Amino acid sequence: MKVRKVRIEDNLFNKMFVFITLSIIIPLALLGYLSYDRSKSQLEKVTSQLLQDNLELNKKQVNRLLKDAENESEKMVTSIQLQKLLQSHPPTSYEEEKAFINRISQLIAQLKGTYGVYVFPKQMKYYPNYLELINGSDFKPSTELMLKAFNLKEKGVWYHYWDETSKKPVLTYIRAVRSSYYYEPLGVIVLKIPDSLVREELSFPSSFKNYKTMIVDQDKNIISSENSLLYNEKFIPEGDWNTAETQLNDQGWNLITALPNKEVTGNIEQIKNFTMWIVIISIVVVTIYLAIIVRNFTIPIKALVTHMEKVRSGVLKHFHMDRSKKDEIGQLVGGFNQMITGMSELIEQTKKMESDKRKFELQTLNHQINPHFFYNTLDAIKWRAEKVDEKNIALMVTKLANLLRFSLNNNNEWTTVEREIEHAKNYLDIEKLRSNRLFKVFVQVDPTILKLEVIKLILQPIVENCIKHGISNLPEGKGKILLTVKRIEQDIIFIIEDNGPGLNSNLVDKERNSNHVHHGIGLKNVHKRLQLHFGTEYGIIVDEDHHEGFRVIVRHPVHEEE
């Protein structure tokens, strides 16, 4: 095997290492060490004392503000009128709730102090109009926060959130209102302290322009800063900043001060004179070496990176160099071009395979309609024709013809909500005539969505399942099927339920663990067709919590015509 001799000019790493070491690393490392060693102790002492003094002052100011809010809450939670109002039974009508809103508004106006105040009853779900009136874009305490406030006896919970109206953070103090007699929680009061009030309490040394003071929570997330956009960002101390912090309250909130080192050090004349000649010499040397580096290495690498950005945006083209290189750059370009060739071929092959696979699956699923229904119906028609001269036979033939015409329909996979419901009703009418079994069918549909387009054959397999596994197990005339169709935002919701025996554990296991069961292929067909068309968030959901009968929910998106 022939061994290639490696020369220094062919090795990119050796070139970069030699040039950077001689021109940058050695002089800058020496300069940094000498500067740091001479000024370290003095800078640490001055900065630490400065930050600590200002930190203690601001801590007193902020704690006073928080304490004022807690004291103000004491007056409200001890109000007998407020306790009686929250202890009264929840309203059962709009008029009762309106009277409650008037009384609570008057009480808040009487008890309100410096800060914004809201009162939330314990059972908030019974006060929908009151919550809509006071909430808007404001903060609404979660159940978790209310429970936490209820568990605290003499104190409240401090919390923070982002106010979309003012584009500022807001601090809130949440405290439980309790009965004076039984001490049971009746609701909570929420005191809102805008971030602007907090910032007014802070003092900043006038001699420093970039002096920062902020408040962080127990997870080190910023909740108050001069830059509101930093709200809820993780506080990470910067390496060239001096920081100090102290705890504000029992919930782990900390007050942090930070100051850039350069503002404390200022212009140290001794370091300036010492480093001046080293910097000048380094600049001259680096300029000469960088001219060589940029010409031989940086320019082609930059061109390659620019080309790779185009590739990442979807433009798969080979990279062409002005001249051939034998070093690592040339090898990199060659490997890159080979990769582009392979990716292009693989993408084209994958696109073709996925397109063929999708067409095949859709064609297969569209034709997986259970033929046993049609065979049984034709058999019933033959039996009635031979045994009894009834007019129902003509009706069965007509409805079956409509059913077949809708199913075939020149391979058109789309229909309307109205026609899909009519198709399901045709099937149910045929089942009544074929099996001579009586059951009731109820249809509730929003008339505004009747003309919306849906894919075909999504209801018939489900109502067939209701007949076979639900209605057939009930006494004659007791069966009921309810079909509800409505629109929720950009989704069409079909709800199909029967009053049969409901879910059976063995039946459910079969449906989940078998790829082909005699009663499950229709439901699976509909579910997979919906997911192939619209994604995994659509399809069939079996309501296993529905204890009476069997209930199926079908989600179908509103189809916008192109």
Side-chain angles (χ1 to χ4, degrees):
M1 182 178 64
K2 184 178 180 181
V3 179
R4 181 178 179 271
K5 183 178 179 180
V6 179
R7 297 179 300 171
I8 188 170
E9 58 268 22
D10 290 339
N11 192 298
L12 182 61
F13 173 81
N14 289 340
K15 295 176 184 177
M16 300 294 293
F17 181 82
V18 171
F19 290 139
I20 293 176
T21 300
L22 294 178
S23 61
I24 299 175
I25 295 180
I26 295 177
L28 292 183
L30 180 61
L31 175 63
Y33 174 78
L34 295 175
S35 301
Y36 175 80
D37 185 65
R38 295 190 179 188
S39 58
K40 176 181 177 182
S41 58
Q42 180 182 1
L43 295 178
E44 288 180 347
K45 182 179 179 180
V46 173
T47 304
S48 176
Q49 188 62 42
L50 174 69
L51 294 180
Q52 196 63 39
D53 292 344
N54 186 260
L55 186 66
E56 291 300 323
L57 176 62
N58 286 331
K59 176 183 178 181
K60 292 179 182 179
Q61 296 292 93
V62 175
N63 277 337
R64 181 187 61 78
L65 180 68
L66 300 182
K67 190 64 177 178
D68 288 345
E70 294 178 2
N71 293 337
E72 189 171 313
S73 70
E74 185 71 26
K75 180 179 67 173
M76 299 194 66
V77 299
T78 56
S79 170
I80 299 300
Q81 292 179 323
L82 180 61
Q83 294 176 15
K84 288 182 178 180
L85 181 59
L86 295 179
Q87 202 170 11
S88 61
H89 292 291
T92 58
S93 66
Y94 174 76
E95 294 299 325
E96 291 182 3
E97 187 178 1
K98 183 178 179 181
F100 170 84
I101 293 173
N102 292 332
R103 293 178 61 191
I104 198 71
S105 300
Q106 295 173 0
L107 274 177
I108 291 175
Q110 296 174 5
L111 299 174
K112 182 178 179 182
T114 308
Y115 313 108
V117 178
Y118 292 106
V119 179
F120 293 88
K122 181 179 180 180
Q123 297 178 327
M124 292 192 296
K125 63 182 180 180
Y126 296 110
Y127 302 83
N129 296 295
Y130 172 64
L131 294 180
E132 182 179 359
L133 176 65
I134 67 174
N135 280 343
S137 61
D138 284 337
F139 166 75
K140 174 184 176 183
S142 64
T143 303
E144 180 182 358
L145 279 176
M146 293 184 68
L147 291 176
K148 191 173 181 179
F150 291 158
N151 292 331
L152 296 175
K153 295 182 179 180
E154 302 296 336
K155 296 182 179 180
V157 180
W158 281 101
Y159 187 76
H160 60 90
Y161 73 97
W162 179 260
D163 185 9
E164 286 295 336
T165 302
S166 63
K167 301 299 181 182
K168 298 283 186 181
V170 177
L171 306 185
T172 61
Y173 184 65
I174 306 169
R175 185 169 177 179
V177 180
R178 299 180 180 275
S179 170
S180 299
Y181 299 98
Y182 303 104
Y183 208 63
E184 64 177 345
L186 305 175
V188 296
I189 62 168
V190 177
L191 273 69
K192 295 176 53 179
I193 305 177
D195 184 61
S196 57
L197 292 180
V198 179
R199 305 305 300 179
E200 289 176 2
E201 296 295 329
L202 301 176
S203 61
F204 303 90
S206 59
S207 56
F208 299 112
K209 296 181 179 179
N210 295 317
Y211 189 88
K212 294 183 179 180
T213 301
M214 62 193 74
I215 301 175
V216 299
D217 61 15
Q218 63 275 11
D219 297 323
K220 294 296 182 182
N221 295 320
I222 298 174
I223 61 179
S224 178
S225 175
E226 64 273 7
N227 184 3
S228 300
L229 298 179
L230 295 179
Y231 173 74
N232 229 16
E233 294 287 337
K234 183 72 68 174
F235 173 73
I236 301 176
E238 299 185 33
D240 57 347
W241 286 62
N242 282 294
T243 60
E245 62 180 286
T246 183
Q247 186 170 338
L248 284 176
N249 55 24
D250 296 335
Q251 293 182 218
W253 289 8
N254 287 348
L255 182 66
I256 297 177
T257 58
L259 181 65
N261 287 330
K262 62 182 180 179
E263 289 201 20
V264 179
T265 59
N267 296 323
I268 302 177
E269 192 66 24
Q270 186 178 5
I271 297 179
K272 177 181 178 182
N273 295 332
F274 180 78
T275 57
M276 181 176 61
W277 288 106
I278 296 179
V279 172
I280 293 174
I281 295 173
S282 298
I283 290 176
V284 174
V285 175
V286 169
T287 302
I288 297 174
Y289 287 146
L290 286 182
I292 300 174
I293 293 174
V294 169
R295 182 173 181 81
N296 291 278
F297 306 106
T298 309
I299 293 177
I301 290 176
K302 184 176 181 180
L304 180 59
V305 170
T306 303
H307 186 79
M308 291 175 68
E309 290 294 331
K310 295 180 180 179
V311 171
R312 190 164 66 176
S313 64
V315 182
L316 297 180
K317 292 185 178 180
H318 291 86
F319 179 77
H320 300 286
M321 298 182 63
D322 295 336
R323 56 187 179 87
S324 61
K325 285 183 174 288
K326 297 181 180 180
D327 56 13
E328 283 84 349
I329 296 179
Q331 297 174 13
L332 179 63
V333 171
F336 176 81
N337 289 336
Q338 291 180 1
M339 181 185 67
I340 293 299
T341 301
M343 289 175 60
S344 299
E345 295 175 355
L346 183 60
I347 289 174
E348 291 300 323
Q349 184 179 4
T350 303
K351 286 182 177 178
K352 187 176 184 304
M353 292 176 62
E354 288 296 328
S355 176
D356 294 340
K357 178 182 177 183
R358 178 177 175 84
K359 290 179 180 178
F360 175 75
E361 286 185 347
L362 289 176
Q363 291 175 358
T364 302
L365 291 173
N366 271 328
H367 292 86
Q368 272 190 339
I369 306 303
N370 192 347
H372 295 96
F373 165 72
F374 301 119
Y375 300 154
N376 293 337
T377 303
L378 292 175
D379 186 54
I381 294 174
K382 178 182 178 181
W383 179 81
R384 286 181 178 272
E386 292 176 350
K387 299 295 183 180
V388 181
D389 184 14
E390 291 187 3
K391 297 181 180 180
N392 288 335
I393 296 178
L395 181 59
M396 289 179 66
V397 171
T398 302
K399 290 185 177 292
L400 181 59
N402 292 334
L403 210 63
L404 288 170
R405 187 180 302 110
F406 181 85
S407 300
L408 298 176
N409 199 17
N410 297 325
N411 292 324
N412 183 10
E413 197 176 7
W414 291 91
T415 185
T416 62
V417 173
E418 182 179 26
R419 294 187 62 195
E420 181 66 18
I421 294 174
E422 188 64 29
H423 177 67
K425 290 169 66 177
N426 279 339
Y427 168 80
L428 292 172
D429 290 342
I430 293 176
E431 274 293 345
K432 288 181 181 179
L433 296 171
R434 183 180 67 84
S435 61
N436 200 23
R437 173 176 289 274
L438 295 178
F439 56 87
K440 297 179 180 179
V441 179
F442 303 93
V443 179
Q444 297 177 350
V445 58
D446 183 356
T448 62
I449 65 174
L450 288 174
K451 301 303 180 181
L452 294 181
E453 289 191 341
V454 294
I455 60 174
K456 291 195 320 183
L457 299 176
I458 58 177
L459 293 182
Q460 183 270 330
I462 300 176
V463 297
E464 179 182 359
N465 187 76
C466 292
I467 296 295
K468 290 184 177 180
H469 305 294
I471 302 303
S472 61
N473 295 318
L474 295 176
E476 178 70 22
K478 298 296 183 180
K480 297 178 182 179
I481 296 177
L482 173 61
L483 171 60
T484 304
V485 189
K486 56 186 178 181
R487 175 173 179 170
I488 300 180
E489 294 180 352
Q490 292 302 310
D491 291 339
I492 301 174
I493 305 299
F494 298 88
I495 303 175
I496 306 95
E497 50 188 313
D498 62 64
N499 63 337
L503 283 173
N504 179 279
S505 59
N506 296 330
L507 182 61
V508 173
D509 290 339
K510 278 186 176 182
E511 284 285 345
R512 291 176 175 172
N513 300 326
S514 173
N515 290 327
H516 182 76
V517 291
H518 69 282
H519 56 272
I521 191 171
L523 296 182
K524 292 179 181 178
N525 180 10
V526 174
H527 182 67
K528 191 164 186 180
R529 286 174 60 214
L530 287 169
Q531 291 199 334
L532 282 173
H533 271 283
F534 310 115
T536 55
E537 64 269 25
Y538 296 97
I540 293 179
I541 300 174
V542 178
D543 189 355
E544 299 185 8
D545 296 329
H546 191 67
H547 301 296
E548 297 182 359
F550 187 70
R551 192 168 187 252
V552 171
I553 301 172
V554 181
R555 290 187 67 230
H556 186 297
V558 174
H559 178 64
E560 301 292 345
E561 294 187 10
E562 297 181 0

